[in-house]
Amino acid sequence: MENFKEFIIEGRDAFVPCLSLDCVIFGFHSGQLKILLLKMRYDELWALPGGFVYKDEDVDAAAARILRERTGIKDIFLQQLHVFGDPNRSDSKRNKNILEKDGFENGQGDWLTERFITVGYYALVDFSKVELAIDYSSEICEWQDLTSIPSLIMDHSCILKTALERLRKEINYQPIGLNLLPAKFTMPELQSLYEAILGKKLDRRNFQRRMLGYGLVNRLTETRKGGAHKAPYLYTFNNEKYKQALEEGLQGGW
């Protein structure tokens, strides 16, 4: 589907009825946890990136496709989060107004005004590798700080809250960072990521001791140049240990 009008007219026959996907895309930049959001057309509200499932398409494959369209990333860390099915979650009035403003009539696109159940996902991406792209229903696509999220449409605030709770829970028994940080990073940068996710400060020495004890990171001989203080060593993730920790879990919480 090459344009918005074609998307609307052919959507009823192309997509699984009354089913949508919405995804919380986490990134990390300048010590801040970021969320990728879309500014909706004809509206002051923002939304999580989302889309629909083709009738011959696997749901997880649809989520990967939608995220690839929004971020340009093919190999993405993506997990199904929850099914959101409150009968009042769909904003049929808003969707009808958008259709009318775009000149649709005689029932064209009325499938968008029906009740939708959405499957929520969350993704972890390297901020520096993302190529932002708007979709048919949006006019802006940009990163927003987790600490200053604008008003979101429908139940997207609930989806975001659920994703953050899941991420904070999983960080206690699984490694986090491989998909959010560049290939080389400093220990303070890794700790800053954990602190941004957890929303609290962590003891520097204890954090470093635990990370090294898990064997998740390898210290390089290189250092981060250009700072005002002593140049910190750079690290990379130990992919084998990281994969093992994902499968077997880690001991203890933060």
Side-chain angles (χ1 to χ4, degrees), residues 8-167:
I8 293 297
I9 294 176
E10 298 184 10
R12 176 177 290 279
D13 295 328
F15 298 120
V16 176
C18 302
L19 177 67
S20 62
L21 304 180
D22 289 295
C23 188
V24 180
I25 304 177
F26 291 104
F28 184 69
H29 182 66
S30 298
Q32 294 286 332
L33 194 63
K34 306 281 188 176
I35 309 296
L36 189 61
L37 294 177
L38 301 171
K39 171 69 167 55
M40 307 310 294
R41 288 156 53 93
Y42 309 119
D43 206 330
E44 294 303 314
L45 299 179
W46 294 69
L48 299 170
F52 307 97
V53 183
Y54 287 106
K55 289 184 176 180
D56 60 349
E57 188 177 32
D58 177 83
V59 174
D60 287 345
R65 169 182 55 80
I66 291 167
L67 290 177
R68 184 172 63 253
E69 293 169 353
R70 304 294 182 272
T71 67
I73 299 178
K74 294 181 179 180
D75 297 322
I76 196 167
F77 178 89
L78 178 67
Q79 286 195 5
Q80 194 173 121
L81 179 65
H82 187 71
V83 175
F84 297 85
D86 188 300
N88 298 313
R89 68 169 304 275
S90 300
D91 193 343
S92 59
K93 182 177 180 180
R94 176 188 170 279
N95 291 337
K96 183 177 180 181
N97 288 336
I98 289 176
L99 290 171
E100 291 176 350
K101 288 179 180 179
D102 274 310
F104 290 96
E105 54 187 17
N106 300 324
Q108 291 179 321
D110 60 350
W111 59 277
L112 282 175
T113 66
E114 298 174 358
R115 174 189 174 184
F116 273 82
I117 293 172
T118 197
V119 181
Y121 285 81
Y122 82 92
L124 307 177
V125 302
D126 184 343
F127 181 94
S128 65
K129 295 181 179 179
V130 171
E131 299 176 3
L132 302 180
I134 61 173
D135 63 9
Y136 296 125
S137 62
S138 63
E139 58 185 17
I140 301 174
C141 178
E142 67 182 27
W143 291 103
Q144 298 276 356
D145 289 347
L146 179 63
T147 55
S148 56
I149 298 297
S151 298
L152 304 180
I153 65 170
M154 301 190 296
D155 58 353
H156 286 203
S157 292
C158 178
I159 299 174
L160 171 56
K161 180 182 177 182
T162 303
L164 184 58
E165 290 174 348
R166 171 72 69 83
L167 186 59

Side-chain angles (χ1 to χ4, degrees), residues 175-229:
I176 294 291
L178 180 62
N179 306 94
L180 290 165
L181 292 172
K184 298 178 182 180
F185 53 88
T186 66
M187 190 63 70
E189 288 169 346
L190 180 58
Q191 181 173 337
S192 179
L193 169 62
Y194 272 66
E195 290 175 341
I197 294 173
L198 293 169
K200 65 180 182 181
K201 290 291 184 180
L202 300 173
D203 180 77
R204 180 181 62 83
R205 292 184 178 179
N206 183 51
F207 179 84
Q208 181 168 320
R209 183 172 60 251
R210 290 183 61 180
M211 281 295 163
L212 294 176
Y214 290 139
L216 294 175
V217 295
N218 301 320
R219 193 174 85 167
L220 306 177
T221 57
E222 302 173 57
T223 58
R224 174 79 76 209
K225 306 296 184 181
H229 304 287

